[in-house]
Amino acid sequence: MYDIFLKTYRMYGTALWAFAIVAGVSTFAIMIVITANAILRKGINWPLPAALEVTQALLVVAIVLPFAFTQFLREHVSTVFFTSRLSKNAQRWLHSFWCVVAFVLFVAVTYGTFQYALRSYAMNEQIWGATIQFPVWPAKMAISLGTLLAAVQFLLDAIGHALIPNFREQAAETAGLNAHV
């Protein structure tokens, strides 16, 4: 059973890695759009149409999609002043508890943002740029996707810490995704 869970955890980590790559590519695309806009604006006095709107939408992708991958790698800021004084078993169960709390919170956020994004899609919400209309709902859907990925990651972490006593060590060994994106 542990092997099946760890294999599932590893496959999910690979999917999260792909989403983190998408976030990295969107960051690079933001850089390209801003640079092209600046060069065109200063060089020939012709700004890139919808540069601001595209940058805003890509920024959402760049920020929200890698949340779960960061949690997968255990790269979030963690304060261990109190918990380092507890036994390993107490640390394990406390971490599992907080992962369940985070899971419930992120499920609620996912539900709310998804409803908000569906409403935006249904009414065809648009941003009026300087020259074109730009749809808002894809960025709102990206927020919902990012929070869903984080919720699933917190659920897997809670299950892993509850089932496997040395889950952090085993997950790190089996994940195989220790490279930073």
Side-chain angles (χ1 to χ4, degrees):
M1 183 161 132
Y2 298 140
D3 292 335
I4 293 171
F5 177 77
L6 288 173
K7 184 179 269 190
T8 303
Y9 192 80
R10 182 178 185 174
M11 289 185 332
Y12 188 68
T14 303
L16 293 178
W17 177 80
F19 283 110
I21 292 294
V22 169
V25 168
S26 70
T27 303
F28 187 73
I30 290 169
M31 181 185 69
I32 297 290
V33 169
I34 290 173
T35 303
N37 188 41
I39 290 171
L40 289 172
R41 181 181 299 267
K42 296 298 180 186
I44 59 175
N45 198 24
W46 183 71
L48 195 63
L52 176 66
E53 293 81 6
V54 169
T55 302
Q56 287 174 338
L58 289 174
L59 193 58
V60 170
V61 171
I63 291 171
V64 177
L65 285 188
F67 277 173
F69 187 64
T70 305
Q71 175 65 22
F72 176 79
L73 292 179
R74 313 275 188 283
E75 296 286 333
H76 283 296
V77 174
S78 178
T79 306
V80 294
F81 176 73
F82 172 71
T83 58
S84 65
R85 300 173 192 272
L86 300 174
S87 69
K88 291 288 182 190
N89 196 38
Q91 287 179 20
R92 174 180 148 220
W93 286 106
L94 187 63
H95 190 78
S96 185
F97 169 75
W98 285 116
C99 284
V100 169
V101 170
F103 167 72
V104 170
L105 176 72
F106 271 86
V107 165
V109 170
T110 300
Y111 177 77
T113 57
F114 185 69
Q115 293 298 319
Y116 191 52
L118 281 180
R119 189 175 73 210
S120 176
Y121 175 75
M123 64 188 219
N124 196 25
E125 186 177 5
Q126 307 268 329
I127 293 175
W128 278 91
T131 56
I132 64 169
Q133 288 182 327
F134 197 81
V136 176
W137 65 267
K140 291 181 179 181
M141 285 290 184
I143 293 171
S144 186
L145 176 62
T147 58
L148 175 65
L149 293 171
V152 172
Q153 179 60 42
F154 279 119
L155 177 64
L156 290 174
D157 281 347
I159 292 169
H161 284 285
L163 288 179
I164 304 169
N166 58 346
F167 176 66
R168 280 185 178 236
E169 294 80 22
Q170 280 191 316
E173 289 172 12
T174 60
L177 295 170
N178 294 326
H180 296 284
V181 176

